[in-house]
């Protein structure tokens, strides 16, 4: 993967993201030796055909960190330690669905863009497209109909 492409020659896939997270931890950030869990793909809402993976970093089954892997290039953008024991990796999508004020039968996806409601790429939204329009549910379960894009995030 040193070429920046997955084993299929294209953008990074989940297994590539997991491998990139482990390789990126070798640099020494206190998360060495953690196991990479199942990556979650996050679609950029403000950039066409762009996204990244969030990879949970686990020790003895507990979340100890998160790595962000760029989908184009399969490189680690950043990694961060989790300091609060028991922190979940991401809000369960069904818990996010239950917070909606309208029914949603479609499958949600994880999405993020710089905005007031989520300043950190580690905190994507569950995005639901409904008959009433698009809804964004943040990682605390708060529902947002629109995102305030006047602020920087990242």
């Amino acid at each position: 993967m040193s070429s920046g492409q997955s084993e299929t020659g294209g953008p990074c896939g989940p297994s590539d993201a997991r491998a990139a997270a482990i390789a990126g931890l070798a640099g020494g950030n206190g998360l060495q030796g953690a196991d990479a869990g199942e990556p979650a793909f996050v679609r950029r809402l403000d950039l066409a055909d762009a996204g990244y993976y969030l990879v949970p970093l686990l020790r003895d089954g507990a979340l100890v960190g998160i790595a962000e892997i760029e989908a184009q290039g399969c490189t680690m953008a950043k990694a961060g330690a989790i300091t609060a024991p028991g922190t979940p990796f991401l809000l369960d999508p069904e818990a996010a669905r239950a917070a909606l004020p309208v029914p949603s039968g479609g499958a949600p996806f994880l999405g993020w863009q710089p905005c007031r409601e989520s300043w950190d790429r580690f905190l994507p939204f569950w995005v639901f497209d409904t008959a009433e329009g698009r809804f964004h549910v943040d990682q605390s379960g708060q529902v947002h109909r629109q995102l305030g894009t006047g602020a920087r995030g990242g």
Side-chain angles (χ1 to χ4, degrees), residues 12-14 17 39-47 49-55 66-78 89-90 110-114 118-125 139 154:
C12 195
F41 183 74
V42 180
R43 185 185 322 165
R44 284 292 301 254
L45 300 174
D46 58 333
L47 301 172
D49 300 322
Y52 58 95
Y53 287 93
L54 292 178
V55 181
I66 299 173
E68 178 189 326
I69 307 298
E70 292 296 335
Q72 289 289 18
C74 216
T75 57
M76 183 158 67
K78 65 181 177 177
F89 173 44
L90 293 169
L110 286 168
W112 184 84
Q113 70 183 45
S118 178
W119 49 270
D120 191 338
R121 289 169 46 129
F122 283 172
L123 299 171
F125 300 96
Q139 293 301 308

Side-chain angles (χ1 to χ4, degrees), residues 16-119:
D16 303 308
R18 183 181 285 130
I22 295 301
L25 294 179
N29 55 10
L31 295 169
Q32 299 88 337
D35 295 320
E38 187 63 33
F41 183 74
V42 180
R43 185 185 322 165
R44 284 292 301 254
L45 300 174
D46 58 333
L47 301 172
D49 300 322
Y52 58 95
Y53 287 93
L54 292 178
V55 181
L57 304 172
L58 311 167
R59 280 200 187 105
D60 299 323
L63 184 68
V64 296
I66 299 173
E68 178 189 326
I69 307 298
E70 292 296 335
Q72 289 289 18
C74 216
T75 57
M76 183 158 67
K78 65 181 177 177
I82 301 297
T83 57
T87 299
F89 173 44
L90 293 169
L91 179 68
D92 180 79
E94 291 310 312
R97 184 185 309 278
L100 293 174
V102 297
S104 170
F109 65 91
L110 286 168
W112 184 84
Q113 70 183 45
C115 62
R116 281 190 308 268
E117 294 77 11
S118 178
W119 49 270

